[in-house]
């Protein structure tokens, strides 16, 4: 048991292929790292992430670090992060994307990082919000403030079908609440999540945030589904 605990804190095998890591490798072996499908969407403001929200939501910028494909490396990473307690993956991906953003024109535009929230029951079950460490690392890279007490999820929702997500973002918005809104007035907010598919959850969160006057919203996620 102690050995498993040490491996959780200091993984010695690749999170994707489970090959033993070399001394200069962190979490992911060099081979798997080179195979990860990086998007570089932060360099193109008219990218597929932003296009998800065309005609639905006003956003300044949008990006995702990786392409999500089933039964591939990115799915393994996000699964380990969300369901196996490997929070270091969120830190790793946050540092990676944060570095990319800090070396681009995103660097001077973001004031506040806000995570898509978890309901307290899900937070208690999992023990952490899977995008917390991701958001904190991006905030550190952009010299922005990470704030997780603005947008709250006040009721739990079940996983919805694709059709539901496209047509029922308003009901998702009803599960959300804003507090401490004075912290973000006239701020440019970066809303972060693990995965964008239909964009329904991010859309609902953004619409709720837009109840606060004079704000701008951008979006960044770990991955986008193809």
């Amino acid at each position: 048991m102690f050995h498993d605990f040490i491996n959780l804190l200091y993984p010695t095998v690749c999170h994707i292929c489970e090959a033993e890591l070399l001394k200069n490798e962190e979490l992911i072996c060099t081979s798997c790292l080179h195979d990860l499908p990086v998007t570089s969407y932060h360099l193109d403001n008219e990218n597929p992430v932003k296009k998800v929200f065309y005609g639905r939501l006003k956003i300044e910028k949008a990006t995702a670090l990786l392409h999500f494909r089933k039964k591939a490396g990115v799915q393994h990473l996000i699964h380990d992060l969300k369901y196996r307690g490997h929070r270091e993956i969120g830190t790793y991906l946050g540092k990676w994307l944060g570095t990319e953003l800090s070396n681009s024109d995103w660097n001077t535009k973001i004031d506040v990082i806000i995570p898509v929230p978890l309901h307290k029951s899900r937070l208690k079950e999992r023990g952490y919000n899977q995008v917390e460490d991701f958001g904190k690392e991006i905030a550190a890279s952009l010299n922005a403030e990470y704030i997780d007490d603005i947008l709250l999820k006040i009721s739990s929702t079940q996983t919805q079908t694709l059709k539901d997500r496209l047509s029922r973002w308003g009901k998702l918005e009803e599960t959300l609440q804003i507090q401490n809104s004075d912290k973000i007035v006239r701020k440019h907010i970066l809303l972060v999540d693990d995965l964008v598919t239909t964009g329904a959850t991010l859309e609902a969160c953004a619409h709720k945030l837009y109840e606060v006057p004079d704000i701008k919203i951008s979006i960044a996620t770990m991955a986008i589904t193809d």
Side-chain angles (χ1 to χ4, degrees):
M1 182 177 295
F2 180 73
H3 182 267
D4 291 339
F5 176 71
I6 292 298
N7 282 340
L8 185 64
L9 292 178
Y10 306 102
T12 58
V13 298
C14 174
H15 271 287
I16 297 173
C17 71
E18 297 188 348
E20 186 173 353
L21 293 174
L22 302 177
K23 288 184 178 180
N24 62 333
E25 294 174 335
E26 180 184 0
L27 300 187
I28 304 171
C29 71
T30 301
S31 177
C32 288
L33 185 60
H34 286 167
D35 286 340
L36 287 177
V38 179
T39 70
S40 298
Y41 285 162
H42 65 289
L43 301 176
D44 175 14
N45 198 37
E46 300 306 318
N47 63 65
V49 182
K50 192 170 186 182
K51 289 178 181 178
V52 167
F53 303 99
Y54 278 0
R56 298 162 54 187
L57 178 68
K58 176 177 172 53
I59 55 175
E60 303 297 316
K61 288 180 172 290
T63 192
L65 178 62
L66 302 165
H67 293 281
F68 181 95
R69 294 159 187 162
K70 289 186 177 180
K71 298 182 180 179
V74 177
Q75 183 179 27
H76 290 305
L77 290 175
I78 292 180
H79 183 273
D80 280 359
L81 169 63
K82 292 177 70 171
Y83 304 115
R84 299 185 65 189
H86 289 286
R87 294 184 62 169
E88 69 274 9
I89 294 172
T91 299
Y92 182 88
L93 297 179
K95 286 181 179 179
W96 185 354
L97 184 56
T99 299
E100 296 290 331
L101 298 184
S102 68
N103 291 321
S104 71
D105 65 353
W106 289 64
N107 191 33
T108 59
K109 296 181 181 297
I110 305 299
D111 301 304
V112 174
I113 312 292
I114 292 179
V116 168
L118 287 182
H119 184 257
K120 60 182 180 181
S121 62
R122 181 65 61 83
L123 188 62
K124 182 178 180 181
E125 175 187 343
R126 186 171 296 165
Y128 59 95
N129 183 334
Q130 70 271 12
V131 296
E132 176 183 349
D133 302 300
F134 178 70
K136 286 180 176 179
E137 291 298 334
I138 294 174
S141 295
L142 298 181
N143 294 313
E145 187 176 6
Y146 178 87
I147 307 179
D148 61 4
D149 64 351
I150 302 292
L151 184 64
L152 305 179
K153 192 163 188 180
I154 57 174
S155 63
S156 184
T157 53
Q158 298 298 317
T159 299
Q160 301 177 33
T161 65
L162 175 61
K163 182 178 178 181
D164 287 337
R165 289 179 181 177
L166 288 170
S167 63
R168 293 170 56 191
W169 68 261
K171 292 186 178 181
L172 289 173
E173 189 176 352
E174 292 173 2
T175 71
L176 301 168
Q177 177 178 297
I178 294 288
Q179 65 177 21
N180 301 316
S181 60
D182 56 298
K183 293 182 179 181
I184 58 171
V185 174
R186 293 184 294 277
K187 301 293 188 181
H188 187 165
I189 296 162
L190 181 62
L191 183 63
V192 297
D193 202 4
D194 54 358
L195 186 64
V196 57
T197 303
T198 68
T201 299
L202 285 160
E203 183 180 1
C205 289
H207 276 286
K208 198 68 181 179
L209 287 168
Y210 272 131
E211 294 178 5
V212 181
D214 300 323
I215 67 168
K216 296 179 180 180
I217 294 177
S218 291
I219 287 171
T221 65
M222 298 176 190
I224 179 173
T225 56
D226 288 343

